[in-house]
Amino acid sequence: MKRRNFCQKAVLGTAAFTTVTSSQRTPQPDRTTSSSTPTQPAIQWRMATSWLKSDITFGAVEELCQRVKAATNGQFVIIPYPAGEIVPPLQVFDAVKAGTVECGHTTALYYLDKNPTLIFSISVPFGLTAYQQNAWLHYGGGLEIMHQLYADFGMIAFPAGSVGIQMGGWFNKEMKSLADFEGLKIRIPGWGAQILSRFGAKVTVLGGDEILAALKTGKIEAAEWRNPHDDEQLGLHRVAHYYYYPGWWEPGASEDILVSRQQWQKLPKAYQQIFQAAATETSLTMLAALDAANGEALKRLVEGGTELKAYSREILQGAYQVSVDLLEENARQDVIFKDVYDKWKAFRSKIYQWNRINEFSLEQFMLKDFI
């Protein structure tokens, strides 16, 4: 990415929060047009995704597409496909870039090798929670940065989902210290993989559709996927006994819709606004759906024999220090990374101070009887 291009104001602005209301006080006049005489063109897109059909994430993506269709009177139709039906789950980025599909729903964690600065659009280990990440993207400058980063790949991207703080993975042995990661074959993507590699783990990145089989055959010995609901649906509790927490490598992972910039520019402005509003809504509703489902799923897992384990302070402290080291190393090597990192740190400092006062203080009191 050229420095001057990055520093220019994004051509396409941040999606505004859009509230659609209906008036009951004033009768609405009859429209002279109807769905049989549309004023906007009929457009159909295909959306590749990185998600299994059983995931809450895929269900949320289906709802997003339904909202777009309904809001355009059936004129703008987006058909989502589960992982593997068009391309494998780790190739959604490439499919959108190549024009194989018009758009894709995925996570930047799979594509950090293309540009490490994308870490700030998804989730920094020991970084922002889902609610803080949402604030960073929409009101802290994160979304404008995101648009500029993806422009170099001929795409535009929008946050469209959040999974919250994830669990810390499935193991068949207890992980008491950093030394226990030495030689461990584990499925984990993103910077979590880089951090554990420094402790001697043998990391691999697999799509969700490959994890269970890999654990059964011994290709891997441990794995992290997502959260209790989706992990239960995948069946990971049937092949691993210990379930660790927290998922420090993804404290507030947001997920994205990647769109071919060429296709985006062909959309009528009204369709663009509807699309962006639906994506923003999905970031809220997906997290709500997961928060509602995960408690019950975790209860079932524990009652079924899964043993919950907290990562030791040694592991958390060691992983935190390596995360800081990675950020500083990349900042020294890449001027654009440093620029975004500095902005992100300034935002983090402000929101941490606020949440320490409002949320953390209240949660400490409210949860005291449950800890």
Side-chain angles (χ1 to χ4, degrees):
M1 181 190 307
K2 294 182 180 179
R3 175 71 178 175
R4 65 175 183 274
N5 289 341
F6 181 82
C7 294
Q8 288 174 347
K9 185 177 180 180
V11 174
L12 295 165
T14 304
F17 284 98
T18 303
T19 303
V20 180
T21 61
S22 60
S23 172
Q24 296 180 349
R25 293 174 297 176
T26 306
Q28 297 298 305
D30 293 334
R31 303 299 182 187
T32 57
T33 59
S34 68
S35 58
S36 61
T37 57
T39 59
Q40 297 282 17
I43 295 174
Q44 181 168 304
W45 281 4
R46 295 193 306 165
M47 177 192 288
T49 79
S50 296
W51 320 120
L52 304 177
K53 199 169 182 63
S54 60
D55 290 347
I56 282 180
T57 299
F58 188 78
V61 171
E62 289 182 308
E63 290 181 6
L64 183 156
C65 296
Q66 290 165 6
R67 284 181 172 85
V68 170
K69 180 179 179 180
T72 59
N73 293 319
Q75 290 299 102
F76 185 14
V77 176
I78 305 171
I79 303 174
Y81 293 85
E85 287 200 9
I86 297 180
V87 293
L90 306 185
Q91 295 180 21
V92 173
F93 182 106
D94 296 318
V96 177
K97 185 174 183 290
T100 305
V101 292
E102 291 82 7
C103 62
H105 196 281
T106 187
T107 169
L109 286 176
Y110 295 155
Y111 315 112
L112 295 180
D113 59 326
K114 300 178 186 299
N115 188 335
T117 311
L118 289 172
I119 191 71
F120 298 106
S121 76
I122 171 70
S123 192
V124 176
F126 299 98
L128 304 178
T129 66
Y131 304 102
Q132 293 166 344
Q133 178 75 1
N134 192 45
W136 155 249
L137 290 171
H138 289 284
Y139 294 99
L143 187 53
E144 290 91 337
I145 292 168
M146 190 174 168
H147 286 330
Q148 295 171 65
L149 292 174
Y150 277 104
D152 281 354
F153 302 102
M155 291 186 277
I156 185 169
F158 301 99
S162 178
V163 297
I165 300 176
Q166 300 193 74
M167 291 295 286
W170 294 87
F171 301 82
N172 274 316
K173 69 173 185 177
E174 292 188 67
M175 308 299 292
K176 297 180 180 180
S177 68
L178 293 172
D180 292 324
F181 286 100
E182 181 68 38
L184 182 75
K185 295 183 290 185
I186 182 171
R187 181 270 178 197
I188 183 172
W191 275 21
Q194 294 188 46
I195 292 169
L196 293 188
S197 292
R198 297 197 179 191
F199 300 137
K202 298 178 180 178
V203 302
T204 186
V205 181
L206 300 171
D209 56 344
E210 302 174 278
I211 298 173
L212 185 62
L215 279 169
K216 285 180 176 179
T217 61
K219 180 180 179 180
I220 56 175
E221 302 167 297
E224 67 82 41
W225 176 227
R226 295 168 72 78
N227 48 68
H229 175 274
D230 290 349
D231 290 1
E232 181 186 40
Q233 292 294 311
L234 202 59
L236 299 182
H237 59 293
R238 297 197 294 268
V239 290
H241 180 66
Y242 297 108
Y243 199 18
Y244 271 82
Y245 67 91
W248 45 263
W249 45 79
E250 295 177 45
S254 54
E255 293 167 351
D256 307 323
I257 291 181
L258 310 183
V259 182
S260 161
R261 186 167 285 265
Q262 183 180 25
Q263 295 298 325
W264 177 256
Q265 291 171 343
K266 292 179 181 178
L267 289 180
K269 294 297 183 183
Y271 288 9
Q272 291 181 352
Q273 292 175 356
I274 289 168
F275 185 96
Q276 292 178 75
T280 300
E281 180 185 25
T282 300
S283 291
L284 302 177
T285 56
M286 183 190 296
L287 182 59
L290 286 166
D291 279 343
N294 281 328
E296 288 298 319
L298 186 61
K299 182 174 182 289
R300 289 192 298 269
L301 290 170
V302 172
E303 289 176 347
T306 294
E307 189 168 345
L308 282 179
K309 289 284 186 179
Y311 279 120
S312 67
R313 185 163 186 81
E314 177 194 334
I315 291 175
L316 291 175
Q317 189 61 48
Y320 173 78
Q321 186 55 57
V322 173
S323 177
V324 173
D325 292 344
L326 280 171
L327 288 165
E328 296 295 335
E329 289 168 14
N330 278 273
R332 288 193 296 269
Q333 297 167 6
D334 187 330
V335 65
I336 293 174
F337 187 100
K338 183 180 186 306
D339 181 59
V340 178
Y341 180 35
D342 289 342
K343 290 181 172 67
W344 179 84
K345 281 193 298 183
F347 179 84
R348 179 186 61 176
S349 178
K350 292 177 182 178
I351 202 164
Y352 273 11
Q353 287 299 317
W354 164 232
N355 287 165
R356 179 179 64 84
I357 297 299
N358 71 331
E359 288 193 18
F360 183 63
S361 60
L362 181 61
E363 288 174 353
Q364 276 187 308
F365 176 79
M366 292 171 60
L367 298 177
K368 67 181 186 302
D369 294 332
F370 297 90
I371 297 176

